[in-house]
Amino acid sequence: MFSALRLSATRTFATNAAVDGFNGAIGNTPLIYLKHLSERTGAQIFGKAEFQNPGGSVKDRAALGLIRDAENKGLIKPGGTVVEGTAGNTGIGLAHVCRAKGYKCVIYMPDTQSQEKIDLLRMLGADVRPVPAVAFENPKNYNHQAQEYAEGLSNAIWTDQFDNVANADAHYTSTGPEIWEQTQGQLDGFVCATGTGGTLAGVGKYLKEKSGGKTQIWLADPPGSVLTSYITSGGKLVERSGSSITEGIGQGRITDNLGTFVNELSGAFTVPDEKSIEMVYELLDTEGLYLGASSALNVVAAVELAQRLGKGSRIATILCDGAYRYQSRLFSKKWLVSKGLENAIPEHLKKYSVLE
């Protein structure tokens, strides 16, 4: 199975020296071989363990990249304030980085997000401001409120995670090169969902350049997002409708980050919530991985891409974060019933839904 790739039985580290604080610990995450899914498909499927970043998610990379970019441009000075509109994990990453760097942190977020995320942000010292979830076109959208607030302060920045391409650049200079090195440049496909577009655009651009266009880059979408229809229709945006159990992914527009790469994508498809929730439970049962719904969606997508590209193909995706921030929902019998998802979980896996 592994004749073409050297897989280490133990984790190695990118440096023999200690790293410089929280920020120095961001990145250099393991690439995990997903054994059971690989054996089922006849492919080699890998997940980039971004839940092992010190703040617990892939968004640590964007948070650090956005703040470093502002510092390099002289936009913020010591003691300043960082403001963002975020569905959760970027805010958590920013709160951590701000604590490490001595900045104040203000987070505007939709009031649909999990209580675990809101509580954690506040524990990290962030000023959290939940606001009604409305479309981006609405001036009361959480992103616009964040921008307006930042513009009214001195020595403050709005990091603008959706349209500030320093987000994508952070993945082009770190996540992409790590995946390329960890697969020894032998990768047939990469797929992940997108919210800001930073991970997909940055990683996709790097992998496509390094492979000379041989590595296919695909977008996976949750229900309610318009990106699959945009890509498969040749660029026609439709009005966003519907919703998903996933948080922080899916989009109703083409962000500037995604816009840097959207025309280079190999394709896109939508993953139903039923498949995502089943994969949450399957990954726990077969791989011992306790992951959130967006990570599970990415793995479902990696399996589908492996089936499209055929036996022997090598596929990578992003394991965005753990399930700890969503456990009161994902493992609650009552919540599963409220979403009509109780029958999506096979009988032998229902033993993990231990919360009422």
Side-chain angles (χ1 to χ4, degrees):
M1 176 63 71
F2 302 133
S3 58
L5 288 176
R6 301 188 310 277
L7 297 184
S8 175
T10 58
R11 182 174 176 185
T12 57
F13 296 90
T15 174
N16 292 324
V19 298
D20 185 8
F22 177 93
N23 299 330
I26 295 172
N28 291 313
T29 56
L31 189 69
I32 299 176
Y33 172 67
L34 301 178
K35 181 177 185 291
H36 291 82
L37 295 172
S38 296
E39 291 176 350
R40 182 194 306 171
T41 58
Q44 293 183 25
I45 299 175
F46 301 90
K48 184 76 164 142
E50 292 301 285
F51 59 88
Q52 289 198 8
N53 278 305
S57 88
V58 65
K59 294 297 187 177
D60 287 1
R61 295 183 190 256
L64 182 59
L66 290 165
I67 290 178
R68 277 182 173 168
D69 180 69
E71 290 173 334
N72 292 338
K73 292 176 179 176
L75 300 177
I76 190 169
K77 297 177 176 61
T81 302
V82 173
V83 185
E84 182 56 275
T86 169
N89 279 335
T90 300
I92 292 168
L94 286 170
H96 275 291
V97 174
C98 285
R99 292 269 45 79
K101 286 178 170 286
Y103 298 127
K104 303 178 188 71
C105 183
V106 178
I107 301 297
Y108 284 80
M109 68 191 308
D111 58 9
T112 55
Q113 298 307 297
S114 67
Q115 192 61 43
E116 287 97 335
K117 282 185 179 179
I118 296 171
D119 291 343
L120 177 56
L121 282 165
R122 288 175 172 155
M123 290 172 193
L124 290 170
D127 177 355
V128 184
R129 305 185 180 194
V131 297
V134 296
F136 182 80
E137 293 74 21
N138 189 314
K140 292 298 183 181
N141 177 274
Y142 64 100
N143 292 291
H144 303 320
Q145 291 197 52
Q147 179 182 10
E148 183 179 354
Y149 180 75
E151 290 173 349
L153 299 176
S154 60
N155 191 21
I157 57 166
W158 170 49
T159 43
D160 189 15
Q161 62 165 328
F162 290 91
D163 296 312
N164 182 346
V165 296
N167 179 344
D169 288 345
H171 293 284
Y172 180 80
T173 57
S174 67
T175 324
E178 289 172 31
I179 292 173
W180 184 256
E181 181 178 352
Q182 288 167 324
T183 58
Q184 290 95 55
Q186 300 178 56
L187 190 65
D188 298 297
F190 174 82
V191 61
C192 72
T194 183
T196 66
T199 305
L200 181 64
V203 173
K205 181 181 179 183
Y206 185 87
L207 294 177
K208 200 155 190 180
E209 287 178 359
K210 289 295 289 186
S211 69
K214 293 179 180 178
T215 302
Q216 294 191 24
I217 312 297
W218 286 67
L219 182 149
D221 230 9
S225 177
V226 306
L227 299 179
T228 293
S229 63
Y230 177 88
I231 293 162
T232 56
S233 69
K236 295 179 182 177
L237 269 179
V238 297
E239 187 173 345
R240 189 171 187 174
S241 63
S243 62
S244 171
I245 64 167
T246 58
E247 296 184 16
I249 57 174
Q251 190 52 263
R253 66 187 180 95
I254 304 302
T255 64
D256 286 359
N257 278 289
L258 183 58
T260 64
F261 189 73
V262 67
N263 293 329
E264 303 299 319
L265 288 167
S266 304
F269 50 83
T270 297
V271 176
D273 279 347
E274 290 80 2
K275 288 189 175 182
S276 295
I277 192 68
E278 179 184 1
M279 187 60 76
V280 167
Y281 283 68
E282 182 176 347
L283 287 167
L284 178 57
D285 188 64
T286 62
E287 305 285 353
L289 293 171
Y290 189 58
L291 302 174
S294 57
S295 298
L297 183 151
N298 283 346
V299 175
V300 173
V303 170
E304 181 164 337
L305 185 56
Q307 292 168 338
R308 291 180 184 226
L309 299 187
K311 292 184 182 300
S313 59
R314 301 181 184 90
I315 312 298
T317 191
I318 300 292
L319 307 180
C320 318
D321 65 2
Y324 304 98
R325 292 169 185 171
Y326 321 94
Q327 61 190 18
S328 65
R329 298 182 182 186
L330 297 178
F331 298 94
S332 162
K333 298 181 183 73
K334 184 178 179 180
W335 183 84
L336 290 169
V337 170
S338 74
K339 297 297 181 181
L341 294 172
E342 69 276 16
N343 294 325
I345 300 169
E347 203 61 39
H348 72 285
L349 297 179
K350 288 185 178 180
K351 61 187 177 183
Y352 296 112
S353 58
V354 298
L355 304 178
E356 293 302 328

